[in-house]
Coordinates of all heavy atoms in Angstrom, one line a residue:
M1 N 58.5 114.6 8.7 CA 59.6 114.7 9.6 C 59.2 115.5 10.9 O 59.4 115.1 12.0 CB 60.8 115.4 8.9 CG 61.9 115.7 9.8 SD 62.6 114.2 10.6 CE 63.8 115.0 11.7
K2 N 58.6 116.7 10.6 CA 58.1 117.5 11.8 C 57.1 116.7 12.6 O 57.1 116.8 13.8 CB 57.6 118.8 11.2 CG 57.5 119.9 12.3 CD 57.1 121.2 11.7 CE 58.3 122.0 11.2 NZ 57.9 123.3 10.6
R3 N 56.2 116.1 11.9 CA 55.1 115.3 12.6 C 55.7 114.2 13.4 O 55.3 114.0 14.6 CB 54.1 114.8 11.6 CG 52.9 114.2 12.2 CD 51.9 113.7 11.1 NE 51.4 114.8 10.3 CZ 50.3 115.5 10.6 NH1 49.6 115.2 11.7 NH2 49.9 116.5 9.9
I4 N 56.7 113.5 12.9 CA 57.3 112.4 13.6 C 58.0 112.9 14.9 O 57.9 112.4 15.9 CB 58.3 111.7 12.7 CG1 57.6 110.9 11.6 CG2 59.2 110.7 13.5 CD1 58.4 110.4 10.5
L5 N 58.7 114.0 14.7 CA 59.4 114.6 15.8 C 58.5 115.0 16.9 O 58.7 114.8 18.1 CB 60.2 115.9 15.3 CG 61.1 116.6 16.4 CD1 62.1 115.6 16.9 CD2 61.7 117.8 15.7
L6 N 57.3 115.6 16.5 CA 56.3 116.0 17.5 C 55.8 114.8 18.3 O 55.6 114.9 19.5 CB 55.2 116.8 16.8 CG 55.5 118.2 16.5 CD1 54.3 118.9 15.8 CD2 55.8 119.0 17.8
V7 N 55.5 113.8 17.6 CA 54.9 112.6 18.2 C 56.0 112.1 19.2 O 55.6 111.8 20.4 CB 54.6 111.5 17.2 CG1 54.2 110.2 17.9 CG2 53.4 111.9 16.4
A8 N 57.2 112.0 18.8 CA 58.3 111.6 19.7 C 58.4 112.5 20.9 O 58.6 112.1 22.0 CB 59.6 111.5 18.9
T9 N 58.3 113.8 20.6 CA 58.4 114.8 21.7 C 57.3 114.5 22.8 O 57.5 114.5 23.9 CB 58.3 116.2 21.1 OG1 59.3 116.4 20.2 CG2 58.3 117.2 22.2
V10 N 56.1 114.4 22.3 CA 54.9 114.2 23.2 C 55.1 112.9 24.0 O 54.9 112.9 25.2 CB 53.6 114.1 22.4 CG1 52.4 113.7 23.4 CG2 53.3 115.5 21.8
A11 N 55.5 111.8 23.4 CA 55.7 110.6 24.0 C 56.8 110.7 25.1 O 56.6 110.3 26.2 CB 56.0 109.5 23.0
T12 N 57.9 111.2 24.7 CA 59.0 111.4 25.7 C 58.6 112.2 26.9 O 58.9 111.9 28.0 CB 60.2 112.0 25.0 OG1 60.4 111.5 23.7 CG2 61.5 111.8 25.8
F13 N 57.9 113.3 26.6 CA 57.6 114.2 27.6 C 56.6 113.6 28.6 O 56.8 113.7 29.8 CB 56.9 115.5 27.0 CG 56.7 116.6 28.1 CD1 57.9 117.3 28.6 CD2 55.5 116.8 28.6 CE1 57.7 118.2 29.5 CE2 55.4 117.8 29.6 CZ 56.5 118.5 30.0
T14 N 55.6 112.9 28.1 CA 54.6 112.2 29.0 C 55.3 111.2 29.9 O 55.0 111.2 31.1 CB 53.6 111.5 28.1 OG1 53.1 112.5 27.2 CG2 52.4 111.0 28.9
M15 N 56.3 110.5 29.4 CA 57.0 109.5 30.2 C 57.8 110.2 31.3 O 57.9 109.6 32.3 CB 57.9 108.7 29.3 CG 57.1 107.7 28.4 SD 58.2 106.6 27.5 CE 59.1 107.7 26.4
G16 N 58.4 111.3 31.0 CA 59.3 112.0 31.9 C 58.6 112.9 32.9 O 59.2 113.6 33.7
F17 N 57.3 112.9 32.8 CA 56.5 114.0 33.5 C 56.5 113.8 35.0 O 56.3 114.7 35.8 CB 55.1 114.0 33.0 CG 54.5 115.4 32.8 CD1 55.4 116.5 32.7 CD2 53.2 115.6 32.8 CE1 54.9 117.8 32.5 CE2 52.7 116.9 32.7 CZ 53.5 117.9 32.5
A18 N 56.6 112.5 35.5 CA 56.4 112.2 36.9 C 57.2 113.1 37.8 O 56.7 113.7 38.8 CB 56.6 110.8 37.1
Q19 N 58.5 113.2 37.5 CA 59.4 114.0 38.4 C 59.6 115.4 37.7 O 60.4 115.5 36.9 CB 60.7 113.3 38.5 CG 61.4 113.7 39.8 CD 62.7 112.9 39.9 OE1 63.3 112.4 39.0 NE2 63.2 112.9 41.2
A20 N 58.8 116.4 38.1 CA 58.8 117.6 37.5 C 59.9 118.6 38.1 O 59.8 118.9 39.2 CB 57.5 118.3 37.5
N21 N 60.9 118.9 37.3 CA 61.7 120.0 37.6 C 62.2 120.6 36.3 O 62.0 120.0 35.2 CB 62.9 119.6 38.5 CG 63.9 118.7 37.9 OD1 64.4 119.1 36.8 ND2 64.1 117.5 38.4
G22 N 62.8 121.8 36.3 CA 63.1 122.5 35.1 C 64.0 121.7 34.1 O 63.7 121.6 33.0
A23 N 65.1 121.1 34.7 CA 66.0 120.4 33.8 C 65.3 119.2 33.2 O 65.5 119.0 31.9 CB 67.2 119.9 34.6
S24 N 64.6 118.4 33.9 CA 63.9 117.2 33.4 C 62.8 117.6 32.5 O 62.5 117.0 31.5 CB 63.5 116.2 34.4 OG 62.5 116.7 35.2
D25 N 62.0 118.7 32.8 CA 61.0 119.2 32.0 C 61.5 119.6 30.6 O 60.9 119.3 29.6 CB 60.3 120.4 32.6 CG 59.4 120.0 33.8 OD1 59.2 118.8 34.0 OD2 59.0 121.0 34.5
Y26 N 62.6 120.2 30.6 CA 63.3 120.7 29.4 C 63.7 119.5 28.6 O 63.5 119.4 27.4 CB 64.4 121.6 29.7 CG 65.2 122.1 28.5 CD1 64.7 123.2 27.7 CD2 66.4 121.5 28.2 CE1 65.4 123.6 26.6 CE2 67.1 122.0 27.0 CZ 66.6 123.0 26.3 OH 67.3 123.4 25.2
A27 N 64.4 118.6 29.3 CA 64.9 117.4 28.6 C 63.8 116.5 28.0 O 63.8 116.1 26.8 CB 65.8 116.6 29.5
S28 N 62.8 116.2 28.8 CA 61.8 115.3 28.4 C 60.8 116.0 27.5 O 60.0 115.4 26.8 CB 61.0 114.7 29.6 OG 60.6 115.7 30.5
G29 N 60.8 117.3 27.5 CA 59.9 118.1 26.5 C 60.5 118.0 25.1 O 59.8 118.5 24.2
G30 N 61.7 117.5 24.9 CA 62.2 117.3 23.6 C 62.9 118.6 23.1 O 63.3 118.8 21.9
C31 N 62.9 119.6 24.0 CA 63.4 120.9 23.6 C 64.9 120.8 23.1 O 65.3 121.6 22.2 CB 63.4 121.9 24.8 SG 61.8 121.7 25.8
A32 N 65.7 119.9 23.8 CA 67.1 119.8 23.5 C 67.4 119.4 22.1 O 68.4 119.8 21.5 CB 67.7 118.9 24.5
S33 N 66.5 118.7 21.4 CA 66.7 118.3 20.0 C 66.9 119.5 19.1 O 67.5 119.4 18.1 CB 65.6 117.3 19.6 OG 64.4 118.0 19.6
C34 N 66.3 120.6 19.5 CA 66.5 121.8 18.6 C 67.3 122.9 19.3 O 68.1 123.5 18.7 CB 65.1 122.4 18.3 SG 64.2 121.4 17.1
H35 N 67.1 123.0 20.6 CA 67.7 124.1 21.4 C 69.0 123.7 22.1 O 69.6 124.5 22.8 CB 66.8 124.8 22.3 CG 65.6 125.5 21.7 ND1 65.8 126.7 21.0 CD2 64.3 125.2 21.6 CE1 64.6 127.0 20.5 NE2 63.7 126.2 20.9
G36 N 69.4 122.4 22.0 CA 70.6 121.9 22.6 C 70.4 121.5 24.1 O 69.4 122.0 24.7
A37 N 71.2 120.7 24.6 CA 71.0 120.1 25.9 C 71.0 121.2 27.0 O 70.3 121.1 28.0 CB 72.1 119.1 26.2
T38 N 71.8 122.2 26.8 CA 71.9 123.3 27.9 C 71.3 124.6 27.3 O 71.6 125.7 27.9 CB 73.3 123.4 28.4 OG1 74.1 123.8 27.3 CG2 73.8 122.2 29.1
G39 N 70.6 124.5 26.2 CA 70.0 125.8 25.7 C 70.9 126.5 24.7 O 70.6 127.6 24.3
V40 N 72.0 125.8 24.3 CA 72.8 126.4 23.2 C 72.4 125.6 21.9 O 72.6 124.4 21.8 CB 74.3 126.3 23.5 CG1 75.1 126.8 22.3 CG2 74.7 127.0 24.8
S41 N 71.8 126.4 21.0 CA 71.1 125.8 19.9 C 72.0 124.9 19.0 O 73.2 125.1 18.8 CB 70.5 126.9 19.0 OG 69.7 126.3 18.0
V42 N 71.4 123.8 18.5 CA 72.0 122.8 17.6 C 72.1 123.4 16.2 O 73.1 123.1 15.5 CB 71.2 121.5 17.6 CG1 71.9 120.5 16.7 CG2 71.0 121.0 19.0
F43 N 71.2 124.2 15.8 CA 71.1 124.7 14.4 C 71.2 126.3 14.5 O 70.7 126.9 15.3 CB 69.8 124.4 13.8 CG 69.5 122.9 13.8 CD1 68.6 122.4 14.7 CD2 70.2 122.0 12.9 CE1 68.3 121.0 14.7 CE2 70.0 120.7 12.9 CZ 69.0 120.1 13.8
P44 N 71.9 126.8 13.5 CA 72.1 128.3 13.5 C 70.9 129.1 13.3 O 70.8 130.3 13.7 CB 73.1 128.5 12.3 CG 73.1 127.3 11.5 CD 72.7 126.2 12.4
T45 N 69.8 128.4 12.8 CA 68.6 129.2 12.6 C 67.6 129.1 13.8 O 66.5 129.6 13.8 CB 67.8 128.6 11.4 OG1 67.8 127.2 11.5 CG2 68.6 129.0 10.1
Y46 N 68.0 128.3 14.9 CA 67.2 128.2 16.1 C 67.9 129.0 17.2 O 69.1 129.0 17.3 CB 67.1 126.7 16.5 CG 66.4 125.8 15.6 CD1 66.4 124.4 15.8 CD2 65.7 126.3 14.5 CE1 65.7 123.6 15.0 CE2 65.1 125.4 13.6 CZ 65.1 124.1 13.9 OH 64.4 123.2 13.0
P47 N 67.0 129.7 18.0 CA 67.6 130.6 19.0 C 68.2 129.8 20.2 O 67.8 128.8 20.6 CB 66.4 131.4 19.5 CG 65.2 130.5 19.2 CD 65.6 129.7 17.9
N48 N 69.3 130.4 20.7 CA 69.9 129.9 22.0 C 69.0 130.4 23.1 O 68.4 131.5 23.1 CB 71.3 130.6 22.2 CG 72.3 130.1 21.2 OD1 72.2 129.0 20.7 ND2 73.2 131.0 20.9
L49 N 68.8 129.5 24.1 CA 67.9 129.9 25.2 C 68.7 130.0 26.5 O 68.2 130.5 27.5 CB 66.8 128.8 25.4 CG 66.0 128.4 24.1 CD1 65.0 127.3 24.4 CD2 65.2 129.7 23.6
A50 N 69.9 129.5 26.5 CA 70.8 129.5 27.7 C 71.0 131.0 28.2 O 71.3 131.8 27.3 CB 72.1 128.8 27.5
G51 N 70.9 131.2 29.5 CA 71.2 132.5 30.0 C 70.1 133.6 29.8 O 70.3 134.7 30.2
Q52 N 69.1 133.2 29.2 CA 68.0 134.1 28.9 C 67.3 134.5 30.2 O 67.2 133.7 31.1 CB 67.0 133.5 27.9 CG 65.9 134.4 27.4 CD 66.4 135.7 26.8 OE1 66.6 136.7 27.6 NE2 66.8 135.7 25.6
N53 N 66.8 135.7 30.3 CA 65.9 136.1 31.4 C 64.7 135.2 31.5 O 64.0 135.0 30.5 CB 65.5 137.5 31.3 CG 66.6 138.5 31.2 OD1 67.6 138.4 32.0 ND2 66.5 139.5 30.4
A54 N 64.5 134.7 32.7 CA 63.4 133.7 32.9 C 62.1 134.3 32.6 O 61.2 133.6 32.0 CB 63.4 133.2 34.4
A55 N 61.8 135.6 33.0 CA 60.5 136.2 32.7 C 60.3 136.3 31.2 O 59.1 136.1 30.8 CB 60.5 137.6 33.4
Y56 N 61.3 136.5 30.4 CA 61.2 136.6 29.0 C 60.8 135.3 28.4 O 59.9 135.1 27.6 CB 62.5 137.1 28.3 CG 62.4 137.1 26.8 CD1 61.8 138.1 26.1 CD2 63.0 136.0 26.1 CE1 61.8 138.1 24.7 CE2 62.9 135.9 24.7 CZ 62.3 137.0 24.0 OH 62.3 136.9 22.7
T57 N 61.5 134.2 28.9 CA 61.2 132.9 28.4 C 59.8 132.4 28.7 O 59.1 131.9 27.8 CB 62.3 131.9 29.0 OG1 63.6 132.3 28.6 CG2 62.0 130.4 28.5
V58 N 59.4 132.7 29.9 CA 58.0 132.4 30.3 C 57.0 133.1 29.4 O 56.1 132.5 28.9 CB 57.7 132.7 31.8 CG1 56.2 132.7 32.1 CG2 58.5 131.8 32.7
K59 N 57.3 134.3 29.1 CA 56.3 135.1 28.3 C 56.3 134.5 26.9 O 55.2 134.4 26.3 CB 56.7 136.6 28.3 CG 55.8 137.4 27.4 CD 56.1 138.9 27.4 CE 55.0 139.7 26.8 NZ 54.7 139.3 25.4
Q60 N 57.5 134.2 26.3 CA 57.5 133.6 25.0 C 56.7 132.3 24.9 O 55.9 132.1 24.0 CB 58.9 133.4 24.5 CG 59.8 134.7 24.4 CD 59.0 135.9 24.0 OE1 58.5 135.9 22.8 NE2 59.0 136.9 24.8
L61 N 56.9 131.4 25.9 CA 56.2 130.2 25.9 C 54.7 130.4 26.0 O 53.9 129.7 25.2 CB 56.7 129.3 27.0 CG 58.1 128.7 26.9 CD1 58.6 128.0 28.1 CD2 58.2 127.8 25.7
K62 N 54.2 131.3 26.8 CA 52.8 131.6 26.9 C 52.3 132.3 25.6 O 51.1 132.0 25.2 CB 52.5 132.5 28.1 CG 52.8 131.7 29.4 CD 52.4 132.5 30.7 CE 52.8 131.7 31.9 NZ 51.8 131.0 32.6
D63 N 53.1 133.1 25.0 CA 52.7 133.8 23.8 C 52.6 132.7 22.6 O 51.7 132.8 21.8 CB 53.6 134.9 23.4 CG 53.4 136.1 24.2 OD1 52.5 136.2 25.0 OD2 54.2 137.1 24.1
F64 N 53.5 131.7 22.6 CA 53.4 130.7 21.6 C 52.1 129.9 21.9 O 51.4 129.4 21.0 CB 54.6 129.7 21.7 CG 55.9 130.3 21.1 CD1 57.1 130.3 21.8 CD2 55.9 130.8 19.8 CE1 58.2 130.7 21.2 CE2 57.0 131.3 19.2 CZ 58.2 131.3 19.9
Q65 N 51.8 129.6 23.2 CA 50.6 128.8 23.5 C 49.3 129.5 23.1 O 48.4 128.9 22.5 CB 50.6 128.6 25.0 CG 51.6 127.6 25.5 CD 51.8 127.6 27.0 OE1 51.2 128.4 27.7 NE2 52.7 126.8 27.5
S66 N 49.3 130.8 23.3 CA 48.1 131.6 23.0 C 48.0 132.0 21.5 O 46.9 132.4 21.0 CB 48.0 132.9 23.8 OG 49.0 133.8 23.4
G67 N 49.1 131.9 20.8 CA 49.1 132.3 19.4 C 49.5 133.8 19.2 O 49.5 134.3 18.1
V68 N 49.7 134.5 20.3 CA 50.1 135.9 20.2 C 51.4 136.0 19.4 O 51.6 136.9 18.6 CB 50.3 136.6 21.6 CG1 51.1 137.9 21.5 CG2 49.0 136.8 22.3
R69 N 52.3 135.0 19.7 CA 53.6 134.9 18.9 C 53.4 133.7 18.0 O 53.0 132.6 18.4 CB 54.8 134.7 19.8 CG 56.1 134.6 19.0 CD 57.3 134.7 19.9 NE 58.5 134.4 19.1 CZ 59.7 134.3 19.5 NH1 59.9 134.6 20.8 NH2 60.7 134.0 18.7
Q70 N 53.6 133.9 16.7 CA 53.3 132.9 15.7 C 54.6 132.2 15.2 O 55.5 132.9 14.7 CB 52.6 133.5 14.5 CG 51.2 133.9 14.7 CD 50.3 132.7 14.7 OE1 50.4 131.9 13.8 NE2 49.4 132.6 15.7
D71 N 54.7 130.9 15.4 CA 55.7 130.1 14.7 C 55.2 128.7 14.7 O 54.8 128.2 15.8 CB 57.0 130.2 15.6 CG 58.1 129.2 15.0 OD1 58.6 129.5 13.9 OD2 58.3 128.1 15.6
P72 N 55.1 128.1 13.5 CA 54.4 126.8 13.4 C 55.0 125.8 14.4 O 54.2 125.0 15.0 CB 54.6 126.4 12.0 CG 54.9 127.7 11.2 CD 55.5 128.6 12.2
T73 N 56.3 125.7 14.5 CA 56.9 124.7 15.3 C 56.6 125.0 16.8 O 56.1 124.1 17.5 CB 58.4 124.7 15.1 OG1 58.7 124.5 13.7 CG2 59.1 123.6 16.0
M74 N 56.9 126.1 17.3 CA 56.7 126.4 18.7 C 55.2 126.5 19.1 O 54.9 126.2 20.2 CB 57.5 127.7 19.1 CG 59.0 127.5 19.2 SD 59.5 126.2 20.3 CE 58.7 126.6 21.8
N75 N 54.4 126.9 18.2 CA 53.0 126.9 18.5 C 52.5 125.5 18.8 O 51.5 125.3 19.6 CB 52.1 127.6 17.4 CG 52.3 129.1 17.2 OD1 52.3 129.6 16.1 ND2 52.5 129.8 18.3
A76 N 53.1 124.5 18.1 CA 52.7 123.1 18.3 C 53.3 122.6 19.6 O 52.7 121.7 20.3 CB 53.1 122.3 17.1
I77 N 54.5 123.0 19.9 CA 55.3 122.4 21.0 C 55.0 123.1 22.4 O 54.9 122.4 23.4 CB 56.8 122.5 20.7 CG1 57.1 121.5 19.6 CG2 57.6 122.2 21.9 CD1 58.5 121.6 19.0
A78 N 54.8 124.4 22.4 CA 54.7 125.1 23.7 C 53.6 124.6 24.6 O 53.7 124.5 25.8 CB 54.6 126.6 23.4
P79 N 52.4 124.2 24.0 CA 51.4 123.7 24.9 C 51.7 122.4 25.7 O 51.2 122.2 26.7 CB 50.2 123.4 23.9 CG 50.5 124.3 22.7 CD 52.0 124.4 22.6
I80 N 52.7 121.7 25.1 CA 53.1 120.4 25.8 C 53.7 120.8 27.2 O 53.5 119.9 28.1 CB 54.2 119.7 25.0 CG1 53.6 119.3 23.6 CG2 54.8 118.5 25.7 CD1 54.7 118.8 22.7
V81 N 54.3 121.9 27.4 CA 54.9 122.2 28.7 C 54.1 123.2 29.5 O 54.6 123.8 30.4 CB 56.3 122.8 28.5 CG1 57.2 121.7 27.9 CG2 56.4 124.0 27.6
A82 N 52.8 123.3 29.2 CA 51.9 124.1 30.0 C 52.0 123.8 31.5 O 51.9 122.6 31.8 CB 50.5 124.0 29.5
G83 N 52.2 124.8 32.3 CA 52.3 124.6 33.7 C 53.8 124.4 34.2 O 54.1 124.5 35.4
H84 N 54.7 124.2 33.2 CA 56.1 124.0 33.5 C 56.9 125.1 32.9 O 58.2 125.0 32.9 CB 56.5 122.7 33.0 CG 55.8 121.5 33.6 ND1 56.4 120.6 34.5 CD2 54.5 121.1 33.5 CE1 55.5 119.7 34.9 NE2 54.3 120.0 34.3
E85 N 56.3 126.2 32.5 CA 57.0 127.3 31.8 C 58.1 127.9 32.8 O 59.3 128.1 32.4 CB 56.1 128.4 31.4 CG 55.1 128.0 30.4 CD 53.8 127.5 31.0 OE1 53.8 127.2 32.2 OE2 52.8 127.4 30.3
Q86 N 57.7 128.2 34.0 CA 58.6 128.8 35.0 C 59.8 127.9 35.3 O 60.9 128.4 35.4 CB 57.8 129.2 36.3 CG 58.6 130.1 37.2 CD 58.9 131.5 36.6 OE1 58.0 132.2 36.3 NE2 60.2 131.9 36.6
A87 N 59.5 126.6 35.6 CA 60.6 125.7 35.9 C 61.6 125.6 34.8 O 62.8 125.7 35.0 CB 60.0 124.3 36.2
I88 N 61.1 125.5 33.6 CA 62.0 125.4 32.4 C 62.8 126.7 32.2 O 64.0 126.7 32.0 CB 61.2 125.1 31.1 CG1 60.7 123.7 31.2 CG2 62.0 125.3 29.9 CD1 59.8 123.3 30.1
A89 N 62.1 127.8 32.4 CA 62.7 129.2 32.2 C 63.8 129.4 33.3 O 64.9 129.9 33.0 CB 61.7 130.3 32.3
D90 N 63.5 129.0 34.5 CA 64.5 129.1 35.6 C 65.8 128.3 35.3 O 66.9 128.7 35.4 CB 63.9 128.6 36.9 CG 62.9 129.6 37.5 OD1 62.9 130.8 37.0 OD2 62.1 129.3 38.4
Y91 N 65.5 127.0 34.8 CA 66.6 126.2 34.4 C 67.5 126.8 33.3 O 68.7 126.9 33.4 CB 66.1 124.8 33.9 CG 67.1 124.0 33.2 CD1 68.2 123.4 33.9 CD2 67.1 123.8 31.8 CE1 69.2 122.6 33.2 CE2 68.0 123.0 31.1 CZ 69.1 122.5 31.8 OH 70.0 121.7 31.2
L92 N 66.8 127.3 32.3 CA 67.6 127.9 31.2 C 68.3 129.2 31.6 O 69.4 129.4 31.1 CB 66.6 128.2 30.0 CG 66.1 127.0 29.3 CD1 64.9 127.4 28.4 CD2 67.2 126.3 28.5
S93 N 67.7 129.9 32.5 CA 68.4 131.2 32.9 C 69.7 131.0 33.7 O 70.5 131.8 33.7 CB 67.4 132.0 33.8 OG 67.3 131.4 35.0
Q94 N 69.8 129.7 34.2 CA 71.0 129.4 35.0 C 72.0 128.7 34.2 O 73.1 128.3 34.7 CB 70.5 128.5 36.2 CG 69.7 129.3 37.2 CD 68.8 128.4 38.0 OE1 68.9 127.2 38.0 NE2 67.8 129.0 38.7
Q95 N 71.8 128.5 32.9 CA 72.8 127.8 32.1 C 73.9 128.7 31.6 O 73.6 129.9 31.4 CB 72.1 127.1 30.9 CG 71.1 126.0 31.3 CD 71.7 125.1 32.3 OE1 72.6 124.4 32.1 NE2 71.1 125.0 33.5
Ligands
HEC1 C1 61.6 121.3 16.2 C2 62.5 122.3 16.8 C3 62.1 122.9 18.1 C4 61.8 122.2 19.3 C5 61.7 120.7 19.5 C6 61.6 123.3 20.3 N1 61.8 124.5 19.7 FE1 61.7 126.3 20.7 N2 62.1 127.3 18.9 C7 62.3 126.7 17.7 C8 62.4 127.7 16.7 C9 62.7 127.5 15.2 C10 62.2 128.9 17.4 C11 62.2 130.3 16.7 C12 60.8 130.7 16.5 C13 60.6 132.0 15.8 O1 61.3 132.3 14.8 O2 59.8 132.8 16.2 C14 62.0 128.6 18.8 C15 61.8 129.6 19.7 C16 61.7 129.3 21.1 C17 61.7 130.3 22.2 C18 61.8 131.8 22.0 C19 63.2 132.2 22.0 C20 63.4 133.7 21.9 O3 64.6 134.1 21.9 O4 62.5 134.5 21.7 C21 61.6 129.7 23.3 C22 61.5 130.3 24.7 C23 61.6 128.2 23.0 N3 61.7 128.1 21.7 C24 61.5 127.3 24.0 C25 61.3 125.9 23.7 C26 61.1 124.9 24.7 C27 60.9 125.1 26.2 C28 60.9 123.7 24.0 C29 60.6 122.3 24.5 C30 59.3 122.3 25.2 C31 61.2 124.0 22.6 N4 61.4 125.3 22.4 C32 61.2 123.0 21.6 C33 62.4 125.3 17.5 C34 62.1 124.3 18.4

């Protein structure tokens, strides 16, 4: 299940990559399937991202990418949005 979701996430993100902005990066990154369309989480065990400080969100994404912060799901997903951390974080901070 997790593997299927990841493949779908990568495919969707690659297709949506041409027009890069925070909202579309977030949507096409597949983030909404867990964190909700506007960053209000779909599942009670997943964190809300809406309204979060952008600098904090950027740091978490980079920490997931480097492995400083460990979570099997996010360690796999965060690298997909490399280079788009700030745009996504700005979008989420404004929700
Ligand atoms: C398969 C579900 C899933 C998907 C898809 C997903 N996340 Fe996550 N995310 C999680 C979970 C679960 C956590 C909590 C990890 C932990 O416990 O450390 C998390 C944590 C985070 C955090 C840290 C929140 C905090 O309060 O510290 C950020 C930021 C984040 N995700 C951003 C994203 C972005 C951006 C995307 C899309 C590129 C994304 N996530 C896609 C499940 C997901």
Side-chain angles (χ1 to χ4, degrees):
M1 173 60 187
K2 198 174 274 182
R3 189 176 296 269
I4 292 168
L5 182 61
L6 278 180
V7 170
T9 300
V10 172
T12 319
F13 189 73
T14 308
M15 288 186 296
F17 219 25
Q19 201 178 25
N21 68 58
S24 67
D25 288 350
Y26 177 80
S28 55
C31 318
S33 60
C34 292
H35 293 290
T38 59
V40 177
S41 186
V42 181
F43 305 105
T45 50
Y46 294 173
N48 294 330
L49 306 178
Q52 185 55 268
N53 295 321
Y56 173 83
T57 299
V58 168
K59 182 176 189 304
Q60 300 320 304
L61 289 172
K62 291 187 186 254
D63 285 352
F64 283 130
Q65 288 164 0
S66 69
V68 166
R69 181 169 172 180
Q70 287 282 317
D71 175 71
T73 302
M74 284 307 303
N75 289 145
I77 290 170
I80 297 170
V81 294
H84 297 252
E85 299 90 345
Q86 187 69 54
I88 289 173
D90 287 343
Y91 166 71
L92 289 168
S93 72
Q94 292 154 15
Q95 298 311 299

